[in-house]
Amino acid sequence: MTPTPTRTRARSRRALLCAALLALTVQAGAAAPVLAQDPAGPGGPGGRDCVRTERPLDGKARRVLDITRKAKSDLKLNSVEVKVTLDGREVLTDALGESMTGVPAEPDMHFRAGSVAFAHIGTLLLQLVEEGTVDLDATVQQWLPDVPKANLITLRMLATNTTGLHDYVTDPAFGAELETHPFRQWTPDQLLAYPYSHSFWYEPGTSWSYSHANYLLLVQALEKITGTRIDRLVRERVTGPLGLRDTRNNFTPDIPSPVLHAFTSDRGLYEESTFWNPSWTTAPGAVITTDICDLATSARAIGSGELLSPRSYRTLLNPGTVGLGGASPTCPASICLKQTPARHFGLGVIVVNGWVLQNPSFSGYAAIQAYLPSKRLAIAVSSTKTPTTPDGNTAEVVAQRIAAALAPNAPLAIF
C-alpha cells in the first residue's frame, strides 16, 4: 500500500523526532553483548527472573500501576512494560496489554533498545580515557583516515554529536529506501554514503546536531583502537559488570525469546514490524535487545556513573555541549538545537532537568531509561502501538507521568 503524502510527511516527522532526538531541546538503531551461556544467567544457578511485583502492592506501587494503566488507555497502547526503582529497591515491575492478539505481555519479553547502546558505548569510551588508552580529544585521522575532515573530528565530537555530519535517518533519499525495503541489511558504508553526500552543517566542534553517523564512526574507531569487536568490548566493560544478562547484540533481525512484538502504521498500513531489519540504527555489533528489568538497571547504573570515576561521570553529563547549537547561516535552529544547562546532550546520554536518559523509538518500538540522581529514582518503560496510538515516543509520556508523581520538582519534560 502506498502511503498518502500526508502519511509520508507524518512518518518523516516521526523519524526526525526519534532519530534526531528533537525532543531533547525543543523545549527539549549495541554493542551489548553477544552473550555466551552464563551459568548465572536466566535458568542457571543464581539467575534472576524478570517478573511482576508480588501482590499485594504497597501504596507507591499501586500509584505507579494506576498511572501506567491510565496512560495505556489514554494513549491507546497495545502494551506497556514498566519497572521503577527507588534507592535501588523495586517499586513496581509489571507488563500490561498484549504482545500479540491473545498473548499477554510479560515483563521478561525482549524488545529493541536502539540508542540505549549509545549510553553504554559512551561509558566504555570514558573508561578507555580513564585508563590512558586514548585521549578524548584525539582526532580520528589515525584510525579513520578516509572520513571527511578526519584531521578535525575528535572522539569527543563523535560521542557528543558535534561533528557537523548530516544524519542519514532524516535524509529523504534514505527514508524512501528504508520505507520501501524494511528488511534490507545495511552496511556502514552504505549508510555513511548519505551524510558524505552533503556538506557539513558547520565546522567540527563549533555547534551541535544529532547524527547517527557519529556512532557508526565512533564504533569503528573504538574497534581499531582496542583491536576488539564492539559487542565484546561492551559485554566485558559495561553490560557484563552490570549483570545485564538479557541485554545483547544481535547481528541479524532476530530477537531472543520471549519476544514483545511490535506494530506500526509508518508505511500507511498497520502491520507487524517486529522483525524489520534494525541494521540501519547503528553499527554492527551495537544493535541491542533487552528486557524491562535490564533497562531499569541500565538506567540506574549509567545515570549514576557506577562504572566511572567522579571526573568521568561529570564529563558524561556535560562534555562541553552546553551552550552549543542554535541557528546559523549554514544550519537551521531545527537541526542545530540549542544546548542548555536544563536540556542538553551529554556523552551518549541526554540530560533533562537533572534526569539522565536515553529514549529509543523506531519500527513500532518505543522505550525510555531515565535516572534522577538526586532522588536515586530509576524509571524504565517500553511500549508498543495500536492503529490509533498517537505519534511520538509514547514510552516517554508514560515515564513523564510517573516522574511527575514521584519527583514533582524535577519534571521529565523532554518535549
Side-chain angles (χ1 to χ4, degrees), residues 89-139:
R89 297 185 178 90
E90 178 186 67
V91 174
L92 178 74
T93 303
D94 215 323
L96 309 176
E98 295 182 318
S99 171
M100 298 183 292
T101 303
V103 179
E106 299 291 345
D108 65 346
M109 287 181 167
H110 300 102
F111 51 86
R112 301 202 188 280
S115 58
V116 168
F118 300 166
H120 299 165
I121 292 168
T123 290
L124 159 64
L125 172 60
L126 288 171
Q127 290 175 344
L128 295 174
V129 172
E130 286 179 7
E131 296 166 5
T133 301
V134 70
D135 181 347
L136 194 57
D137 293 311
T139 69

Side-chain angles (χ1 to χ4, degrees), residues 23 28 30 32 48 84 109 113 126 257 282 291 293 350 362:
R48 60 96 178 90
V84 176
M109 287 181 167
L126 288 171
S257 181
T282 188
D291 68 15
C293 293
I350 306 166
F362 63 97

Side-chain angles (χ1 to χ4, degrees), residues 327-353:
S328 73
T330 61
C331 188
S334 59
I335 298 294
C336 288
L337 300 169
K338 188 67 176 177
Q339 305 292 289
T340 70
R343 294 179 177 88
H344 61 271
F345 202 95
L347 204 150
V349 298
I350 306 166
V351 179
V352 178
N353 293 330

